């Protein structure tokens, strides 16, 4: 029981490996990241006993950028007998429970990686959840079906129909979503699919209880690279008035709301309208990540906005290093001005070759 499994978008395993190795080293924990490209997950094997559990507790999950989920796992259970997969899985959970306190665990996910090959496992995993849940309840390891705010969350992670890892994550330090993926429904009246990126970002970065306080009808937003308007749509939906900056065309439906002004200008030159206090800046321009990071830094340092969500489009190579460099530069810019702020970055499910960053001035 000395491995951590981290789920990710297929193709980003190297980034997860670099990230977990850095975070573990910061805690004085060393190990080896096992990477199989395009598998949709990474295993981090710690050299010393019980350290995977420490990582699962002590690396703040919300500081991981590329990992969608983080769980402690068993060794791979292979050649499971289709007539009785449950017994060896229960034995593996038994071995786990000898090392950590299984009470009160509240929920179980039977999952697979987010790859095309694993799609065929999804029906099996859904069906298998029912008998496995019953067996775990009998053992007293599963309680009511409502997830709790603390304790363990059980996982059974299938890589093939006859091979799986069993494991757990910490309810207060994991993704609450199945496979680490929030399921969002595309709003039929939204102008573009990218609307889901901003919706997921808001869901990820802003606690639901604070959403109304953080985004409401008394606020003004600026959307750089706004066309055709999927991100503007999310802000307008929450009542904001939005300056939509882009040389392109905005969706007609957004004009009808009376909550936007289209500014056909260059997003790098645009400045907030005089005598208008801008609360929010969002930015989805396709540009070099370092240029975007500098631009966002300029807005925050000049006091032109106090909260921002933006994308950094990633180059194909050295993506992790590029992200770290951009975040470091931004942090340095804000620190130089003695600004107090919180920063969080995530490779969202709806992000492809890009990550999304949230910064709020305190
Ligand atoms: C990915 S699209 C934005 C999609 C938008 N967020 C949505 O949800 O519909 C990128 C946009 O950035 C705009 N863009 C790129 N460079 C720009 C610049 N320098 N100034 C303003 N807009 C720019 C492009 O015209 C394009 O419409």
């Amino acid at each position: 029981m000395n491995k951590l499994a981290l789920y990710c978008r297929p193709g980003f395993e190297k980034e997860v490996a670099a990230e977990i190795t850095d975070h573990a080293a910061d805690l004085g924990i060393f190990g080896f990241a096992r990477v199989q490209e395009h598998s949709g997950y990474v295993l981090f094997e710690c050299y010393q006993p019980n350290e995977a559990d420490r990582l699962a507790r002590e690396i703040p999950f919300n500081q991981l950028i590329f990992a969608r989920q983080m769980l402690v796992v068993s060794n791979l259970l292979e050649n499971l007998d289709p007539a009785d997969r449950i017994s060896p899985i229960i034995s593996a959970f038994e071995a786990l429970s000898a090392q950590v306190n299984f009470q009160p665990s509240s929920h179980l996910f039977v999952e697979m990686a987010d790859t095309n090959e694993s799609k065929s496992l999804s029906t099996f995993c859904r069906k298998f959840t029912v008998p496995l849940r019953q067996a775990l309840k009998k053992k007293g390891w599963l309680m009511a079906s409502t997830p709790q705010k603390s304790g363990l969350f059980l996982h059974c992670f299938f890589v093939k129909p006859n091979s799986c890892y069993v494991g757990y994550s910490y309810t207060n330090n994991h993704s609450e979503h199945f496979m680490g993926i929030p399921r969002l429904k595309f709003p039929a009246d939204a102008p573009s699919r990218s609307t889901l990126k901003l919706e997921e970002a808001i869901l990820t970065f802003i606690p639901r209880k604070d959403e109304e306080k953080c985004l409401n009808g008394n606020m003004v937003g600026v959307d750089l690279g706004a066309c055709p308007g999927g991100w503007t749509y999310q802000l307008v939906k929450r009542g904001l008035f939005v300056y939509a900056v882009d040389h392109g065309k905005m969706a007609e439906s957004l004009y009808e709301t009376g909550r936007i002004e289209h500014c056909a200008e260059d997003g790098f030159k645009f400045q907030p309208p005089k005598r208008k206090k801008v609360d929010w800046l969002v930015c989805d321009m396709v540009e070099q990540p370092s240029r975007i990071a500098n631009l966002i830094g300029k807005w925050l340092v000049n006091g032109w906005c106090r909260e921002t969500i933006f994308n950094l489009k990633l180059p194909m190579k050295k993506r992790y290093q590029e992200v770290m460099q951009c975040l470091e530069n931004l942090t340095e810019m804000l620190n130089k001005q003695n600004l107090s702020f919180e920063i969080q970055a995530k490779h969202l499910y709806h992000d492809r070759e890009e990550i999304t960053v949230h910064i709020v001035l305190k």
Side-chain angles (χ1 to χ4, degrees):
M1 270 350 132
N2 213 17
K3 284 197 247 314
L4 212 55
L6 301 122
Y7 304 162
C8 64
R9 172 182 274 275
F12 284 81
E13 296 79 11
K14 281 190 192 143
E15 284 69 25
V16 172
E19 177 167 53
I20 188 65
T21 305
D22 277 0
H23 277 276
D26 287 347
L27 291 170
I29 293 178
F30 298 93
F32 170 73
R34 210 172 275 283
V35 171
Q36 195 188 328
E37 284 197 52
H38 298 282
S39 63
Y41 68 98
V42 168
L43 291 173
F44 186 75
E45 300 189 13
C46 302
Y47 294 138
Q48 300 293 328
N50 296 326
E51 288 188 330
D53 181 70
R54 224 187 108 202
L55 293 179
R57 277 184 285 118
E58 293 185 20
I59 296 176
F61 179 70
N62 64 10
Q63 281 183 18
L64 292 176
I65 300 171
F66 290 97
R68 287 179 181 170
Q69 187 59 287
M70 165 171 71
L71 49 141
V72 178
V73 290
S74 63
N75 288 328
L76 183 63
L77 308 183
E78 292 183 278
N79 304 319
L80 294 172
D81 177 0
D84 178 21
R85 293 183 178 92
I86 299 267
S87 302
I89 289 176
I90 292 291
S91 300
F93 272 120
E94 223 151 37
L96 271 180
S97 74
Q99 295 179 26
V100 280
N101 179 9
F102 258 42
Q103 299 297 340
S105 46
S106 59
H107 217 77
L108 165 76
F109 279 153
V110 179
E111 298 168 304
M112 62 276 166
D114 180 27
T115 59
N116 282 336
E117 303 77 64
S118 292
K119 279 207 175 91
S120 57
L121 284 171
S122 72
T123 311
F124 161 75
C125 286
R126 198 176 58 242
K127 286 188 180 158
F128 188 66
T129 307
V130 179
L132 182 57
R133 188 177 284 143
Q134 274 163 3
L136 288 165
K137 272 189 181 156
K138 251 193 207 158
K139 281 277 178 185
W141 290 333
L142 267 188
M143 305 210 326
S145 53
T146 36
Q148 297 167 352
K149 290 211 167 65
S150 63
L152 299 183
F153 202 106
L154 307 185
H155 299 256
C156 189
F157 172 43
F158 275 89
V159 290
K160 288 188 221 149
N162 60 355
S163 303
C164 70
Y165 295 94
V166 304
Y168 62 87
S169 57
Y170 281 91
T171 307
N172 58 4
N173 196 35
H174 78 161
S175 162
E176 62 182 348
H177 303 291
F178 180 70
M179 292 165 66
I181 300 175
R183 313 276 147 174
L184 301 179
K185 197 163 169 270
F186 176 66
D189 56 341
S192 68
R193 282 207 74 77
S194 4
T195 200
L196 292 176
K197 283 193 283 185
L198 188 57
E199 184 167 4
E200 186 185 350
I202 292 170
L203 189 76
T204 304
F205 298 131
I206 299 177
R208 247 161 282 178
K209 63 175 175 44
D210 296 340
E211 198 185 303
E212 170 63 25
K213 195 176 77 194
C214 297
L215 289 150
N216 60 56
N218 299 321
M219 292 181 165
V220 173
V222 168
D223 183 356
L224 301 179
C227 290
W231 284 35
T232 295
Y233 169 90
Q234 289 293 334
L235 299 181
V236 167
K237 193 171 103 177
R238 290 168 174 83
L240 279 80
F241 183 90
V242 181
Y243 292 92
V245 183
D246 199 311
H247 284 291
K249 243 177 120 219
M250 290 297 278
E252 276 306 317
S253 55
L254 286 168
Y255 291 104
E256 286 158 17
T257 65
R259 305 293 295 159
I260 71 159
E261 183 175 322
H262 181 206
C263 311
E265 293 179 43
D266 181 346
F268 285 93
K269 297 196 181 127
F270 180 83
Q271 292 193 9
K274 295 234 156 42
R275 288 185 289 281
K276 273 276 176 224
K277 184 182 129 305
V278 172
D279 303 280
W280 271 92
L281 172 69
V282 297
C283 173
D284 189 24
M285 290 191 290
V286 183
E287 249 299 340
Q288 282 173 27
S290 57
R291 275 199 84 195
I292 299 291
N294 262 324
L295 178 67
I296 302 295
K298 184 173 92 178
W299 272 72
L300 291 166
V301 163
N302 286 340
W304 291 348
C305 66
R306 51 167 303 282
E307 190 151 7
T308 173
I309 288 179
F310 58 97
N311 260 340
L312 295 177
K313 316 282 175 193
L314 301 180
M316 283 313 286
K317 287 191 182 154
K318 301 205 169 169
R319 295 184 291 209
Y320 180 69
Q321 289 87 334
E322 183 74 37
V323 166
M324 288 299 127
Q325 190 62 59
C326 286
L327 297 182
E328 210 173 287
N329 292 350
L330 251 168
T331 302
E332 206 177 295
M333 271 175 98
L334 303 183
N335 280 340
K336 256 194 196 153
Q337 304 298 318
N338 289 323
L339 290 172
S340 165
F341 62 96
E342 275 173 17
I343 182 166
Q344 200 189 336
K346 199 84 200 165
H347 189 208
L348 302 173
Y349 174 69
H350 293 93
D351 285 336
R352 288 173 185 271
E353 302 290 326
E354 62 202 331
I355 61 152
T356 304
V357 187
H358 172 233
I359 303 178
V360 57
L361 297 181
K362 290 285 161 191

